[in-house]
Amino acid sequence: MRPDIPSAGHAKHFQYRAAVDGLRGVAVLAVLGFHAFPETVSGGYVGVDVFFVISGFLITGIIARQLLHADFSFVDFYWRRVRRLFPALVLVLATTLVLGWFLLLPHEFKQLGKHVGAAAAFLANFAFWRESGYFDTAAEFKPLLHLWSLGIEEQFYLVWPAVLVAFWKRRTTLLVILWTLVLASFALSVHLAQASPVTNFYWPVSRFWELGAGCLLALLMEGRTRTAPTEDERRFLDVGYNLLPAAGLALILASIMELDESTPFPSWPALLPVVGALLILATPEHVWLQRKVLGSRPLVWTGLISYALYLWHWPLLAFLNILSAGTPPAAIRWMALGAGFLLAGLTYHYVEIPIRKHKEWKFNIRLAASAVAAGLAGVIIYAAGGVAQRFDADIQALRHGPRLDRSCYARFGPAAPINYCRSTSAEPPSILFIGDSRAHAIYEAAAPMFAAEHSVMLLGRGGCPPLLHVRISGYDPNEADCPQVWRTFVDYVHKTKPKVVVVVGNGSFLITDPNIRLIREGAPTRESKEAIFEHGIRSLLSELVQTTRVIYLGEIPRFATGPSCFLRAVRLPTTQCHPERDREQVERAMAPYNRVLARVQTTYPDIQLVDSIGVLCADNVCSQRPPGKPLLYSDAVHLSSAGARLLIDNTRLTQLISRDMLKADSG
């Protein structure tokens, strides 16, 4: 069993090794296992790193042999990449867009359009890197998330062939350059694993060392002197050749089973799969493990379809995650993997292989044009806002993500840890709303009522509930900045002295979630979380009341699933949506938080505490869409525009603001 060779020139310098396809099979099975059953195959993501090593090794070997025979052409190289990558990629992108049209809500379809455009340009890794943060869609709900790796690989191949050709006649210099690049990229990866884990994951420069390691092995193997070994040397080599691939496979399997999502990666742990792959690739095919295990027909066939299988499997799983509002049952995930194998086999035999045989430049142009067309379709969908006109008003009202007015944000500078900054005027604010992401809907509903006469402003940071002098761990990647965020907000209040500050409260889960730690700055840690939370509230309010009147809006109830779950036209039979909660359950969960607020108000009786539960909940139930009322939530935790208007009207929040404005004016 061997792959189709797309051109005679390529075949002349191509030395097929079935075990390499077997190693591809191991890699793709690891990735599939991790994506479908992460609790069992916890380190299966290392399969991508094995792919990187294989790719660097094979491509460099082919180019090196072509250069040895003065037969390398940049045009031929890149057209072969087009014939290799584009057929299956365009098919998957087009299919994903069609499924998205029928299955995704506007904001989801809009994001998918952006991802299709980025993937068609091999820039998906940068697109996902820029999205990362508190408001990022969960990874399991992004149908094209897996294409970040394809972006990194193709970005590498924009640079590496030129370097190889430029220094080919100076072989020692070439090896020194490659060693330097590999070590520098690895060192950067180790540094970024702590300094900026998301950047480390998606940036090509911190991943190039894995491809470079395969390139380095290929050059070393091409440059070695081939002399016939003596009998003793042959026996020694046979023992080594049998041990090395076994050790390599053991390293890969160990990383698949022992690493998990908490492992800093890629960093030192990435050496396990990378070195494992190198040990396997460095040994000849005649050894037992290469022939009988990696060269077995099932693994080789899986390796042959691995590219198409990698492309197909994740969109299938991601769409199922979306339709089930979470992780579907194991049986459904197994069915998705089975469908992935079927689609991959069909794609390989009836799309990839036939198309690779076409070497006419006009056909190559058509392939490239098809990728451009797919990318443009994605861009159009993104620009059209996910074509929201397909849906009713409730669904169109679902909006997500932070909002920054440039003129507002310019007051703080690009380094400010703020992702909500809105203002009705260039003047310093008379009324200031501050909070985490929940403050945005409240601001949007209230600001128009005051904007004609007063400057109204919003300052917010998603993932940072209103606490001062308290550090949070175990909650969200934003948590490290939270003390700085609230120091920035308080300093701005001291500087501008607004007449009224509305604090949009949140944080009951910080007290009740056992996985979250609260740390009081400059104090011993042996305090209850409730006591530390109270210290954070008191510290914040004590500073605010020095310069302004304060209204504190109590926490808005949260739900297990958002309205997108029950509004979606297509759902799995096993999908469980939770549009309602018992009011008693909500109040019980928020009891420690409300105790803190009650104690704080005895210290600061002039602060107006506004209860949201009494407005957003009926006597016995809290609902995202109460009977006879519009949709109150845009997702599981954020109010919709209608919900925010209902809240400020029925709590008389605007009247309280107006009254405090008069009191501030009267002194």
Side-chain angles (χ1 to χ4, degrees), residues 204-225:
V205 287
S206 56
R207 289 280 190 171
F208 277 180
W209 69 273
E210 297 170 312
L211 289 133
C215 299
L216 190 59
L217 176 63
L219 289 177
L220 293 173
M221 291 180 68
E222 285 299 322
R224 66 187 174 185
T225 303

Short mmCIF file of all heavy atoms in Angstrom, two decimals, residues 204-225:
data_model
loop_
_atom_site.label_atom_id
_atom_site.label_comp_id
_atom_site.label_asym_id
_atom_site.label_seq_id
_atom_site.Cartn_x
_atom_site.Cartn_y
_atom_site.Cartn_z
N PRO A 204 3.55 30.91 15.17
CA PRO A 204 4.44 30.00 14.44
C PRO A 204 5.87 29.98 14.98
O PRO A 204 6.51 28.93 14.97
CB PRO A 204 4.39 30.55 13.01
CG PRO A 204 3.94 31.96 13.13
CD PRO A 204 3.03 32.01 14.31
N VAL A 205 6.36 31.12 15.47
CA VAL A 205 7.77 31.15 15.88
C VAL A 205 8.04 30.27 17.08
O VAL A 205 9.18 29.80 17.26
CB VAL A 205 8.23 32.59 16.17
CG1 VAL A 205 8.38 33.38 14.89
CG2 VAL A 205 7.27 33.30 17.13
N SER A 206 7.05 30.03 17.92
CA SER A 206 7.27 29.14 19.07
C SER A 206 6.90 27.70 18.74
O SER A 206 7.01 26.82 19.60
CB SER A 206 6.46 29.63 20.28
OG SER A 206 5.08 29.74 19.96
N ARG A 207 6.48 27.44 17.52
CA ARG A 207 6.17 26.08 17.06
C ARG A 207 7.15 25.61 15.99
O ARG A 207 7.23 24.40 15.72
CB ARG A 207 4.75 26.05 16.46
CG ARG A 207 3.64 26.17 17.49
CD ARG A 207 3.39 24.84 18.17
NE ARG A 207 2.19 24.86 18.97
CZ ARG A 207 1.65 23.78 19.54
NH1 ARG A 207 2.20 22.59 19.36
NH2 ARG A 207 0.58 23.88 20.27
N PHE A 208 7.88 26.53 15.38
CA PHE A 208 8.75 26.16 14.26
C PHE A 208 9.81 25.13 14.67
O PHE A 208 10.29 24.37 13.83
CB PHE A 208 9.44 27.40 13.70
CG PHE A 208 8.60 28.18 12.71
CD1 PHE A 208 9.08 29.33 12.12
CD2 PHE A 208 7.32 27.74 12.37
CE1 PHE A 208 8.30 30.05 11.22
CE2 PHE A 208 6.54 28.45 11.47
CZ PHE A 208 7.04 29.60 10.89
N TRP A 209 10.19 25.10 15.93
CA TRP A 209 11.24 24.17 16.34
C TRP A 209 10.81 22.72 16.12
O TRP A 209 11.66 21.85 15.87
CB TRP A 209 11.65 24.39 17.79
CG TRP A 209 10.63 24.01 18.82
CD1 TRP A 209 9.62 24.78 19.31
CD2 TRP A 209 10.54 22.76 19.52
NE1 TRP A 209 8.90 24.10 20.26
CE2 TRP A 209 9.45 22.86 20.41
CE3 TRP A 209 11.27 21.57 19.48
CZ2 TRP A 209 9.07 21.82 21.24
CZ3 TRP A 209 10.90 20.53 20.33
CH2 TRP A 209 9.81 20.67 21.20
N GLU A 210 9.51 22.44 16.18
CA GLU A 210 9.04 21.07 15.99
C GLU A 210 9.17 20.66 14.52
O GLU A 210 9.64 19.55 14.22
CB GLU A 210 7.59 20.96 16.46
CG GLU A 210 7.45 21.24 17.95
CD GLU A 210 6.00 21.35 18.39
OE1 GLU A 210 5.23 22.07 17.74
OE2 GLU A 210 5.66 20.72 19.40
N LEU A 211 8.78 21.54 13.62
CA LEU A 211 9.02 21.28 12.20
C LEU A 211 10.51 21.27 11.91
O LEU A 211 11.01 20.43 11.14
CB LEU A 211 8.32 22.35 11.36
CG LEU A 211 6.80 22.27 11.32
CD1 LEU A 211 6.19 23.64 11.55
CD2 LEU A 211 6.31 21.71 9.99
N GLY A 212 11.23 22.21 12.52
CA GLY A 212 12.67 22.31 12.30
C GLY A 212 13.42 21.08 12.76
O GLY A 212 14.44 20.70 12.16
N ALA A 213 12.94 20.44 13.82
CA ALA A 213 13.59 19.21 14.29
C ALA A 213 13.51 18.12 13.22
O ALA A 213 14.48 17.40 12.97
CB ALA A 213 12.94 18.74 15.59
N GLY A 214 12.35 18.01 12.57
CA GLY A 214 12.23 17.05 11.47
C GLY A 214 13.12 17.42 10.30
O GLY A 214 13.74 16.55 9.67
N CYS A 215 13.20 18.72 10.00
CA CYS A 215 14.09 19.18 8.92
C CYS A 215 15.55 18.82 9.23
O CYS A 215 16.30 18.37 8.35
CB CYS A 215 13.97 20.69 8.75
SG CYS A 215 12.33 21.28 8.29
N LEU A 216 15.94 19.06 10.46
CA LEU A 216 17.33 18.79 10.87
C LEU A 216 17.67 17.32 10.73
O LEU A 216 18.74 16.95 10.21
CB LEU A 216 17.51 19.26 12.31
CG LEU A 216 18.93 19.30 12.87
CD1 LEU A 216 19.81 20.23 12.04
CD2 LEU A 216 18.89 19.77 14.33
N LEU A 217 16.74 16.45 11.15
CA LEU A 217 16.98 15.02 11.02
C LEU A 217 17.12 14.63 9.54
O LEU A 217 18.02 13.85 9.19
CB LEU A 217 15.83 14.24 11.66
CG LEU A 217 15.91 12.71 11.51
CD1 LEU A 217 17.14 12.16 12.22
CD2 LEU A 217 14.63 12.05 12.05
N ALA A 218 16.28 15.17 8.69
CA ALA A 218 16.35 14.84 7.27
C ALA A 218 17.69 15.26 6.67
O ALA A 218 18.30 14.51 5.90
CB ALA A 218 15.20 15.53 6.52
N LEU A 219 18.20 16.45 7.02
CA LEU A 219 19.48 16.91 6.48
C LEU A 219 20.63 16.06 7.00
O LEU A 219 21.56 15.74 6.24
CB LEU A 219 19.70 18.37 6.86
CG LEU A 219 18.81 19.39 6.15
CD1 LEU A 219 19.09 20.80 6.68
CD2 LEU A 219 19.02 19.34 4.64
N LEU A 220 20.57 15.69 8.27
CA LEU A 220 21.63 14.86 8.84
C LEU A 220 21.65 13.48 8.19
O LEU A 220 22.71 12.91 7.92
CB LEU A 220 21.47 14.74 10.35
CG LEU A 220 21.69 16.02 11.15
CD1 LEU A 220 21.33 15.81 12.62
CD2 LEU A 220 23.14 16.49 11.02
N MET A 221 20.46 12.93 7.93
CA MET A 221 20.40 11.61 7.30
C MET A 221 20.82 11.67 5.83
O MET A 221 21.46 10.75 5.33
CB MET A 221 18.98 11.04 7.42
CG MET A 221 18.62 10.68 8.86
SD MET A 221 16.95 10.02 9.02
CE MET A 221 17.10 8.45 8.16
N GLU A 222 20.49 12.76 5.15
CA GLU A 222 20.90 12.90 3.76
C GLU A 222 22.41 13.09 3.64
O GLU A 222 23.04 12.69 2.67
CB GLU A 222 20.20 14.10 3.11
CG GLU A 222 18.75 13.86 2.78
CD GLU A 222 18.56 12.73 1.79
OE1 GLU A 222 19.37 12.61 0.85
OE2 GLU A 222 17.59 11.95 1.96
N GLY A 223 23.01 13.70 4.66
CA GLY A 223 24.43 14.02 4.58
C GLY A 223 25.35 12.96 5.15
O GLY A 223 26.57 13.09 5.09
N ARG A 224 24.77 11.88 5.72
CA ARG A 224 25.64 10.88 6.34
C ARG A 224 26.37 10.06 5.28
O ARG A 224 25.88 9.85 4.16
CB ARG A 224 24.81 9.95 7.24
CG ARG A 224 23.83 9.10 6.47
CD ARG A 224 22.92 8.33 7.41
NE ARG A 224 21.89 7.62 6.66
CZ ARG A 224 20.91 6.93 7.22
NH1 ARG A 224 20.82 6.90 8.55
NH2 ARG A 224 20.02 6.30 6.49
N THR A 225 27.53 9.59 5.64
CA THR A 225 28.34 8.76 4.74
C THR A 225 27.86 7.32 4.82
O THR A 225 27.73 6.76 5.92
CB THR A 225 29.83 8.84 5.13
OG1 THR A 225 30.24 10.20 5.11
CG2 THR A 225 30.66 8.02 4.18
#
